[in-house]
Amino acid sequence: MSTIFVTGGAGFIGSHTCLLLLQKGYKLVVLDSLINSSKISLERVSEIVFQKYNSERIKFINGDIRNNDLLESIFNDAVLNREEFEGVIHFAGLKAVGESVSYPLKYWDANVNGSITLLKVMDKYNCRTIVFSSSATIYKKTENNLKLTENSKIKPSNPYGETKYVIEKILNNLFRFSSSKWKIASLRYFNPIGAHKSGLIGENPSGIPNNIFPFITQVGLKKFDYLKVFGNDWDTYDGSGVRDYIHVMDLAEGHVAAMEYLFKLDEKNININLGTGIGTSVFDLISTFKKVNKIELPFKVVGRRDGDIGYLVANNSLAKSLLNWEPSLNLEEMCIDGWNWQKNNPNGFQN
Ligand code: NAD
Ligand code: WQD
């Protein structure tokens, strides 16, 4: 049974990916500082898969990826227990665009220094297979409504996106100049939403949500009176912003597919878009959410958000062809599953 090291595994995407990895028979060691998550997410993951907490299959360590000594001890223990890590899935990092503008050095430290510390320890312990959480936010904001391929122009417009692109460049450098063979997949996610169908795990943003979907679900809970729609004058089919929303379980499947793709190779370095290839407008997201969940969703059109763009949709043909991966859950299921999580957990994991 292979063991995978998952950084940031208590988070939104990490917890859903851990669930899938456990279901596929992997053993997990999860490191998370819990700066933006709760350990309860992993307890519930274990409950979903094993109906109890299974410390044999998933070990949680509360710590920071910037802590070199802690990482060394984790990798050393894996060697001593003859359970060396077959690979690493690296979710740990800060992800709020607005916060990164206000506190850029916090993002450079957590995301870039954290990744460098991880990569140094991985290299020292001969673990050189990594799936990295990158982001579509690194792409150049284009006004044409073309779907983005992995070769589209890259020009991050905020410190968060810059950190993601710099980490990709570090990985590229490692692959190109290291005397050892590395296997690297940088996954560029578009807009993950939804939750596992059990309603036991889901997105658990701290404070006021930055992203539209948790904001919608909190309007559904009446925590906010209405949703602000940031502009209806975009060059899109109905004037509101268009995005590529992908169910978080489909995203999790993409991570497992990418990792198992790397396991079969001798060395590789690749960037892959993970999206559905389907553009959905804010107005369509609102109407779908209202229809499938049979609830009201008041909204008001306001001015555009600084730095926003009208259209961001993936060309996902590389993921489909290379990873034999195909998103299977549609927007209605994203809205049903996301609301199921939120209405059953009005305060997230703080219940
Ligand atoms: P999240 O905040 O729920 O998960 C990130 C996890 O990393 C959290 O559990 C947090 O506690 C942990 N963490 C942060 N800094 C850490 C550190 N220094 N040491 C250890 N743990 C640390 O976010 P998410 O939505 O699950 O995103 C996971 C990854 O995917 C992030 O790297 C994010 O940048 C990236 N990503 C997210 C989206 C999105 O829309 N959610 C889109 C593209 C990329
Ligand atoms: C989606 C659409 C808004 C909120 C962000 C990050 C990106 C990535 C994914 C980490 C847009 C509109 C939003 C609201 C609205 N995260 N909107 N009212 O901006 O596409 O991407 O999350 O990697 O880095 O930038 O996602 O959910 O904020 O916005 O009308 O209250 O919803 O204008 O069209 P975005 P979002």
Side-chain angles (χ1 to χ4, degrees):
M1 185 184 290
S2 299
T3 305
I4 308 296
F5 182 48
V6 183
T7 76
F12 171 41
I13 303 168
S15 56
H16 287 79
T17 305
C18 284
L19 188 152
L20 209 54
L21 288 164
L22 290 173
Q23 287 176 330
K24 291 183 184 264
Y26 290 96
K27 287 184 82 164
L28 306 180
V29 173
V30 179
L31 173 72
D32 200 308
S33 65
L34 302 180
I35 192 172
N36 195 40
S37 57
S38 163
K39 183 186 170 186
I40 298 170
S41 67
L42 294 175
E43 291 166 1
R44 293 196 181 173
V45 162
S46 193
E47 187 186 317
I48 293 166
V49 181
F50 307 112
Q51 292 71 51
K52 65 178 174 54
Y53 194 78
N54 186 334
S55 56
E56 282 301 303
R57 290 284 301 279
I58 176 168
K59 178 183 176 190
F60 171 68
I61 298 158
N62 181 351
D64 196 301
I65 50 167
R66 290 166 291 188
N67 183 336
N68 188 75
D69 293 345
L70 175 60
L71 280 179
E72 291 253 11
S73 69
I74 291 170
F75 277 77
N76 195 50
D77 286 349
V79 172
L80 294 177
N81 299 332
R82 298 192 194 298
E83 291 181 330
E84 290 88 337
F85 301 131
E86 188 168 358
V88 175
I89 303 184
H90 178 30
F91 293 106
L94 304 178
K95 61 156 183 175
V97 169
E99 186 187 42
S100 80
V101 174
S102 309
Y103 306 102
L105 288 175
K106 182 178 175 184
Y107 275 67
W108 286 100
D109 184 30
N111 294 358
V112 177
N113 284 340
S115 298
I116 290 170
T117 306
L118 172 68
L119 291 167
K120 280 162 59 179
V121 175
M122 285 178 66
D123 197 29
K124 179 174 180 180
Y125 285 84
N126 299 311
C127 173
R128 298 188 183 92
T129 300
I130 181 168
V131 173
F132 167 59
S133 297
S134 190
S135 171
T137 204
I138 68 173
Y139 287 115
K140 184 178 188 302
K141 298 195 180 306
T142 55
E143 288 316 315
N144 59 35
N145 290 355
L146 294 177
K147 294 185 183 181
L148 292 165
T149 73
E150 288 79 1
N151 300 315
S152 294
K153 272 199 176 315
I154 291 185
K155 191 168 187 276
S157 59
N158 53 69
Y160 163 70
E162 288 284 1
T163 66
K164 288 298 183 181
Y165 185 42
V166 160
I167 298 163
E168 282 196 15
K169 287 199 274 191
I170 290 168
L171 292 167
N172 295 340
N173 239 259
L174 205 48
F175 179 77
R176 189 169 160 213
F177 296 110
S178 167
S179 54
S180 309
K181 291 183 174 179
W182 281 80
K183 299 189 278 189
I184 301 164
S186 293
L187 306 182
R188 295 169 179 171
Y189 319 158
F190 280 69
N191 291 69
I193 64 171
H196 184 259
K197 61 182 180 307
S198 65
L200 289 171
I201 56 174
E203 193 165 8
N204 180 43
S206 44
I208 297 175
N210 300 298
N211 296 124
I212 190 165
F213 196 78
F215 209 105
I216 283 177
T217 56
Q218 292 193 20
V219 169
L221 290 176
K222 303 194 184 329
K223 286 193 172 182
F224 301 103
D225 295 337
Y226 60 88
L227 170 77
K228 290 177 184 166
V229 175
F230 293 140
N232 63 351
D233 57 349
W234 296 99
D235 177 19
T236 62
Y237 62 83
D238 66 8
S240 66
V242 169
R243 291 293 185 275
D244 184 330
Y245 298 101
I246 178 171
H247 196 295
V248 64
M249 287 313 296
D250 277 329
L251 196 63
E253 289 281 0
H255 283 76
V256 177
M259 193 184 63
E260 292 179 345
Y261 166 77
L262 292 178
F263 286 163
K264 290 183 284 191
L265 303 174
D266 187 36
E267 61 176 345
K268 187 73 179 179
N269 177 33
I270 192 158
N271 306 315
I272 304 174
N273 285 345
L274 287 187
T276 62
I278 298 166
T280 300
S281 76
V282 172
F283 289 141
D284 276 351
L285 178 62
I286 292 169
S287 58
T288 303
F289 188 88
K290 285 169 63 176
K291 180 186 75 172
V292 298
N293 293 314
K294 299 180 178 55
I295 63 168
E296 268 318 300
L297 205 77
F299 67 87
K300 282 182 186 169
V301 179
V302 298
R304 293 181 176 187
R305 181 175 59 175
D306 283 352
D308 223 345
I309 53 167
Y311 184 91
L312 190 72
V313 176
N315 174 320
N316 65 358
S317 49
L318 180 63
K320 289 199 282 190
S321 58
L322 202 68
L323 305 182
N324 191 27
W325 169 85
E326 182 90 39
S328 63
L329 299 165
N330 63 29
L331 189 73
E332 294 198 354
E333 290 163 305
M334 295 178 215
C335 290
I336 290 165
D337 294 341
W339 177 237
N340 185 42
W341 147 256
Q342 184 76 88
K343 71 172 187 244
N344 292 325
N345 301 273
N347 299 310
F349 295 111
Q350 276 70 44
N351 282 344

